[in-house]
Amino acid sequence: MKTVSREKVKKDLQFLQRELKLLRDLDHPNIIKLHETYNNGEFIHFVMEYCSGGNLMEYVLKRSFLKEEEIAKIMTKAFSAVKYLHEKGIVHRDIKADNFLFSSKSSDAELKLIDFGLSRSIKPGEKLTTQAGTPLFIAPEVIEGKYDEKCDYWGLGVMLYFFLTKHFPYDGDTVPEIAKNILKSKASFEGKQWEGVSADAINLCKRLLERDPAKRITAAEALGHPWIKLVTKQPKLDRTLTSNIVGSLRAFTNDRRLKREILNVLLYYLNEKELKQLHEAFAYFDKDRSGSITVADLKSVIKENNIQVADDELENIISKVDLDKEHNIRYSEFMLAALDSSYYLSKERLWAAFKHFDLDNSNYITTANVREVLARAGRRIPQEEINEMIKEVDANKDGKIDFQEFCKIVKFNEYKAETPKDFDMAYITKTTTLRSSQGPGKTFFQATESTI
């Protein structure tokens, strides 16, 4: 959780708002996930996905040597994240190793792109003029003041150059000197530091550091580069697990809006092992590394595993799971639909999710609670829709949801769910202490509405 003083950012509130609006709609395995935002009048709180593995630059500096296979694996994830951003019409403007975090300290931790403070939405053909970024990673056209999303590819090129050699392509003792070298000199691909580096790796690096943005290789093209294809391995998944996931996708129903919101919250409580399995499954299904799963991807998975599914049913699977109607399955949508219910159907996790919505600790969920939770996630839903969400599951018609009704939403009826006192409250203390001490307050999105 990042906490920012409202007083200190009063003048720059619109920039925080812009960053959060961008983050709210991003949904990719290699981009940090924003969970919620709110404030208590004095401070603004941003609750995001937790990454405990440190940043990528620290990781590289601690190692005297990185194998090309590991570098290619890292770059593949970075290319995928940037490709996704550009397809969404967003330019990051500060691509560098420091802005990638590892989700955990494990050797196969996921990589996450962070820090969207300089990011901007950009229209096709539009040129930006503000000089923004980190000097060592900044593209020449940014210094000249006329650029677009291709500046991000240059940043990726600087990263790759550094990973391969432990040197920056353009250096200097001062910012003006660095800028002058970027504009006037040419990156060296000769010398002792390049001994043992493959020709394909050098080729990709040169194409990313192409001075002419129009000739610079894109992230999408880089994912198909011979070096990436040769050095990285296609993800694999156990056939039984694949079949089970396809079965979960086929059985997924989106008949109740509130169930979707509850499942989203339950994802917060998955442990590292459970998340890892879902990450690996998504990587296997996402054949083109686009950050989403298409009908073509599903067809490929089904063919590889000899699963019997008709073509028209594939379209039906996409339409059921595709909650945002983009004709593909986004990362979080896949997580929701593929998740084995045995992961989250436990008393502790359900009670924690219930209290996530029960903001005033009344042991009931009201329309006001649901509206506040959704607003904290940056989503403004008409009151009529929220009323309808409650009505769908309000069995006793009292206008609010108790824990028994809550459990029935996710079809957890194996025990009598009337007595929250039976649960281990220590399990959820860390998730409720701040809310109960600060009170509902106002969400950041509501409090800054005048700046949107």
Side-chain angles (χ1 to χ4, degrees):
M1 181 171 66
K2 180 166 78 172
T3 297
V4 181
S5 167
R6 284 182 59 85
E7 184 64 31
K8 289 182 179 180
V9 298
K10 188 179 292 184
K11 293 181 180 179
D12 299 321
L13 213 54
Q14 67 269 28
F15 297 110
L16 279 176
Q17 181 70 18
R18 185 175 68 190
E19 178 181 2
L20 290 170
K21 286 181 72 177
L22 288 175
L23 270 173
R24 174 191 62 188
D25 298 324
L26 297 179
D27 189 4
H28 188 279
N30 300 118
I31 295 177
I32 199 74
K33 184 71 176 175
L34 173 70
H35 290 316
E36 60 181 358
T37 65
Y38 57 104
N39 78 82
N40 63 351
E42 185 178 357
F43 296 100
I44 304 167
H45 307 283
F46 312 137
V47 184
M48 292 177 284
E49 181 179 7
Y50 179 52
C51 294
S52 61
N55 73 52
L56 180 55
M57 181 57 88
E58 292 171 347
Y59 175 85
V60 173
L61 290 175
K62 287 177 182 177
R63 284 152 181 79
S64 58
F65 174 76
L66 290 175
K67 293 181 179 179
E68 285 193 22
E69 181 179 354
E70 183 176 9
I71 296 172
K73 184 178 178 181
I74 289 169
M75 292 304 301
T76 296
K77 294 178 178 182
F79 288 139
S80 182
V82 172
K83 174 179 180 287
Y84 173 85
L85 284 183
H86 292 178
E87 288 173 348
K88 293 288 182 184
I90 298 169
V91 53
H92 188 278
R93 297 205 295 183
D94 199 17
I95 294 294
K96 57 183 179 179
D98 306 77
N99 280 340
F100 285 92
L101 297 182
F102 288 102
S103 60
S104 70
K105 297 183 185 299
S106 65
S107 59
D108 55 356
E110 201 57 82
L111 198 65
K112 306 280 182 176
L113 177 59
I114 65 166
D115 198 348
F116 287 78
L118 296 178
S119 300
R120 279 282 308 274
S121 293
I122 188 171
K123 298 175 182 177
E126 181 184 357
K127 296 293 182 182
L128 302 177
T129 58
T130 304
Q131 293 179 334
T134 300
L136 289 169
F137 293 82
I138 203 166
E141 65 268 24
V142 176
I143 299 173
E144 293 170 343
K146 190 176 181 181
Y147 62 96
D148 56 20
E149 75 281 354
K150 298 180 185 69
C151 67
D152 288 342
Y153 306 141
W154 179 277
L156 291 167
V158 175
M159 282 174 52
L160 179 55
Y161 191 104
F162 186 82
F163 295 163
L164 291 169
T165 67
K166 291 296 182 71
H167 293 83
F168 286 105
Y170 302 97
D171 210 339
D173 295 328
T174 64
V175 172
E177 187 179 341
I178 294 171
K180 181 181 177 181
N181 288 335
I182 291 172
L183 289 172
K184 302 296 183 181
S185 62
K186 191 174 182 180
S188 172
F189 287 89
E190 297 177 355
K192 188 176 180 180
Q193 67 265 30
W194 289 101
E195 292 178 3
V197 179
S198 70
D200 281 338
I202 293 173
N203 175 268
L204 178 56
C205 195
K206 285 181 176 180
R207 294 183 66 187
L208 287 165
L209 293 175
E210 165 63 54
R211 288 188 171 280
D212 184 351
K215 296 178 181 178
R216 197 173 297 157
I217 190 172
T218 67
E221 291 167 341
L223 286 169
H225 189 274
W227 183 65
I228 294 292
K229 286 190 169 184
L230 182 66
V231 180
T232 58
K233 299 175 182 177
Q234 282 292 333
K236 293 183 179 179
L237 202 65
D238 176 78
R239 180 164 294 194
T240 301
L241 178 58
T242 302
S243 181
N244 289 341
I245 289 174
V246 171
S248 295
L249 295 176
R250 295 170 82 173
F252 182 77
T253 57
N254 187 31
D255 53 342
R256 290 178 174 177
R257 172 75 182 272
L258 189 57
K259 177 180 178 179
R260 166 190 168 184
E261 303 299 339
I262 293 169
L263 291 177
N264 252 319
V265 171
L266 284 164
L267 288 175
Y268 300 173
Y269 298 96
L270 298 183
N271 61 41
E272 188 176 321
K273 182 180 178 181
E274 293 162 344
L275 282 171
K276 180 175 178 292
Q277 189 174 62
L278 285 171
H279 289 322
E280 290 174 347
F282 183 84
Y284 173 69
F285 276 73
D286 181 18
K287 295 298 184 184
D288 61 356
R289 295 167 173 164
S290 65
S292 61
I293 297 168
T294 63
V295 171
D297 290 332
L298 281 180
K299 280 184 178 179
S300 180
V301 169
I302 287 165
K303 185 177 180 180
E304 284 178 19
N305 293 273
N306 197 28
I307 301 172
Q308 301 302 312
V309 180
D311 285 352
D312 58 344
E313 189 178 355
L314 290 178
E315 293 282 356
N316 188 43
I317 290 173
I318 293 286
S319 64
K320 286 195 303 179
V321 181
D322 175 23
L323 305 174
D324 296 306
K325 306 307 177 188
E326 296 181 345
H327 204 60
N328 57 38
I329 300 175
R330 302 205 307 174
Y331 178 56
S332 63
E333 292 170 343
F334 177 86
M335 299 273 278
L336 292 177
L339 185 62
D340 187 330
S341 61
S342 64
Y343 284 158
Y344 61 77
L345 293 188
S346 69
K347 292 184 285 187
E348 290 81 9
R349 285 177 175 175
L350 283 169
W351 180 241
F354 180 78
K355 298 308 288 184
H356 180 92
F357 287 89
D358 177 22
L359 298 172
D360 50 6
N361 290 321
S362 66
N363 287 334
Y364 291 99
I365 297 172
T366 64
T367 56
N369 293 153
V370 174
R371 182 175 63 251
E372 173 75 8
V373 169
L374 293 178
R376 287 180 177 183
R379 302 203 301 280
R380 294 184 177 278
I381 308 297
Q383 186 62 46
E384 301 76 35
E385 287 188 33
I386 295 174
N387 293 341
E388 198 59 38
M389 289 165 70
I390 295 290
K391 285 180 182 178
E392 284 180 345
V393 295
D394 181 17
N396 59 10
K397 309 301 180 185
D398 62 352
K400 54 190 177 182
I401 300 171
D402 59 27
F403 190 55
Q404 184 78 45
E405 292 167 327
F406 183 86
C407 291
K408 287 181 179 179
I409 298 172
V410 289
K411 298 181 173 62
F412 188 63
N413 305 308
E414 285 80 6
Y415 74 102
K416 193 174 182 180
E418 298 170 351
T419 53
K421 64 183 179 181
D422 289 344
F423 303 132
D424 178 10
M425 292 300 291
Y427 180 86
I428 61 164
T429 298
K430 63 181 180 180
T431 68
T432 58
T433 299
L434 182 67
R435 289 192 183 90
S436 60
S437 64
Q438 302 287 4
K442 293 182 179 179
T443 73
F444 177 62
F445 283 94
Q446 289 174 334
T448 60
E449 186 176 7
S450 62
T451 70
I452 297 176

